[in-house]
Amino acid sequence: MEQLTLLMEGFSNALTPMNLLWVVIGAVLGTAVGVLPGLGSAMAVALLLPITFSLDPTAAFIMFAGVYYGGLFGDSTSGILLNTPGNSSAIASTFEGHRMALDGRAAKALATAAVGAFTGGLLATTVVVFFAPTLVRMATAFGPAEYFALAVFAFLAISSVVSESVVKGLVALGIGLVLAMVGVDGPSGTIRYTLGMPQLFDGLSIVVITVGLLALGEVFHIASRIHRDPEATRVKTKGRPRLNLADIKKALPAWLRGTAFGVPFGVIPAGGAEVPTFLAYGTEKRLAKRRGDTEFGTTGSIKGVAAPEAAANATAGTAMGALLALGLPTSATAAIMLAAFQQYGMQPGPLLFERSGALVWTLLASLFVGLVILVVLNMQFAVLWAKLLLIPRHYLYAGIAVLSVLGVYAISSSVVDLWILLAIGLLGFMMRRYKFPLAPVLIAVILGPLAETELRRALTVSEGDLSILVDSPVTITLYAVLAIALAISAVQHLRHRARSRSSAVKLDDDELVGA
Amino acid sequence: MSATETNTVRITGFWSGRSELIVPALVLVLAGFLTYGTATMEVLGNSVPGPQFFPTIVCVLLYVVAFAHAFQVLRTRRFPDADDDGRGAEVSSEMLSDLGDTADGRITTRSGTRPRATGRPQAFSDWKTLGMVVGAVALFNLMLPVAGWILAATVLFWVVCRALGSKRPLFDLSVSLLFASAVQLAFNAGLGLNLPAGFLEGLL
């Protein structure tokens, strides 16, 4: 097996003392941002990007590997203890996890979550190691039309199929596409939408956009709500997270089922781990009902924590595979990782394995190393991590505000970038205020240039004949699957609308105005 | 549950529950800018399709979604849900509740809360705090080239702390100064990146 030799070489690179240090730093940072509600690995990588510029790419990516998985380990901690999940990927494990905590089994819930995240990540990363070369071989046959189809698939899946409101998702997508078009157009050299400012000729930096949307936007959002929202109350944990044999016996099938849900979803651009975690949670709930399990929904079931946690990390694992082999980001975090590669002048996709093979295999090996470190960090020090929640929120967000401006200033030492950051931060606030999804903006910013270039390339080859876009089995399949998914989600939206309309309170405007 | 209390909404005029119209308005401005930019573009080269091709598609998309969104907001007033932290927008909560078999609970938004014309007037967003934080970032941008990193970052940190409700101004000041100096040190010494020293240059 060729992959195993390559992976072993990767391990030998990843296990040097210096690189081990980077994984540990990444894992600590990742867990920390995961534990803190509202912050996630996407934001952490975006803030770290400019700071890691002076490192060599291998060290930087090894650190990002720790951050990438760390966020998913940490997010369940605040969910279990506070009932406020650190990230949307932990909502599903919060249901049963918090019930367990209230029942006095917080330590057990934390341990189940940590081992679940480890199992999911481990199995998914293994799948990636064995299937990445197959994906690469598939992707080398892709032409412009196929890449364009892939981009359209990602755009519409994230903005329309899974989003709360199709219109809001498309608005977000459109904003992202506009942001991506600023600057000099690659193929022709034409200057576009720069308002004549030479600082914008290179386009808006992806770092500025992500830090603005995810970090500064979050600070603004918190500012607008901090004096309004009540504080969450914390459940005290006692003892070290331990699982006895009986617990493991109970949780093991759930971990495996969760992983099975997560693995395929990593390759589908469905916006991340929400869909598979809820699928896994729902399955456990239905199974519990059939078995007559009374713990579920009352005192908290260990299975209801195990399955979604495994699913979340399994999704992240295969998402990394799709990113490396196809260059397709399937979630916001994967999109930032793609941006990280571009910052270092590398383009994920089939060519990456050829050109920077050593880096790719070191990265994959450090994903394994990171998982081991993370499971130790989270099992042994879970109570310590929960202490992070004691940091006063004003210091935390003041720190994030300072790190945001630092990161943006560090990339190009330009004050213009800082004003753009402020504007994008306000955009991020507005989108949060009116409940617009942020993921479509990030995906559009990152895949927008690819979509445009490939579309133009395809049409140049065909001399304007649009049929080239649906000319191959791959493109036909992609568009067909997309059409089916859109149809299903349309039915879903209509059904829910009919239901909520029949139960809604009838309002009469005239009666209320000035009453 | 006090949800009905916190969810009290008031309808006092046309704009109640319609402030969201600012989004389609801004999207239309953006689309207008894009239209103008595309029409007046100095195209280099003669490749077909050229650099105006893709922007035209995006432009049409923006006009369509802006009008569709404005129409939706005009038809149904939308009030923010005080229980919601604004982070659930990425994935449809309806779909998740179907998948997860969670009929009730936090992921499904409550429907049918009756708006009231009375009640304590309180904006959903705390504009004063937000204004202070936004102002602090703007102030930082203005100060950085003149006063240097340490002073500008200290002010930013301190103002954000104050805005977010810290009660110990002097202690905060030392925390801010410490944080800003630590970053400066780490950057200049550790990573070799230069942050502006401002007029303190030479003194430090």
Side-chain angles (χ1 to χ4, degrees), chain A residues 141-175:
Chain A
F142 281 13
E146 281 82 4
Y147 272 110
F148 178 68
L150 219 51
V152 169
F153 189 93
F155 288 161
L156 291 183
I158 289 177
S159 67
S160 310
V161 177
V162 300
S163 111
E164 182 90 46
S165 144
V166 177
V167 172
K168 285 183 177 180
L170 288 175
V171 168
L173 181 76
I175 292 174

Side-chain angles (χ1 to χ4, degrees), chain A residues 477-489:
Chain A
T477 318
L478 280 172
Y479 290 122
V481 172
L482 184 62
I484 294 167
L486 283 171
I488 292 174
S489 101

Side-chain angles (χ1 to χ4, degrees), chain A residues 162 192-193 218 225 395 438, chain B residues 38 51 87 90 92 124 172:
Chain A
V162 300
R192 299 195 294 186
Y193 318 111
E218 180 70 20
R225 297 293 303 158
Y395 289 142
L438 295 170
Chain B
T38 312
R87 285 191 205 98
E90 303 296 329
S92 162
F124 176 75
D172 288 351

Side-chain angles (χ1 to χ4, degrees), chain B residues 107-146:
Chain B
I107 49 154
T108 46
T109 44
R110 208 187 343 278
S111 64
T113 328
R114 179 184 279 275
R116 291 195 212 146
T118 53
R120 200 155 51 94
Q122 188 188 37
F124 176 75
S125 297
D126 181 349
W127 296 111
K128 191 180 146 229
T129 312
L130 179 66
M132 273 172 85
V133 175
V134 174
V137 178
L139 185 66
F140 172 88
N141 293 355
L142 293 173
M143 272 179 80
L144 185 68
V146 191

Side-chain angles (χ1 to χ4, degrees), chain A residues 106-118:
Chain A
K108 198 163 277 181
L110 290 171
T112 315
V115 178
F118 177 74

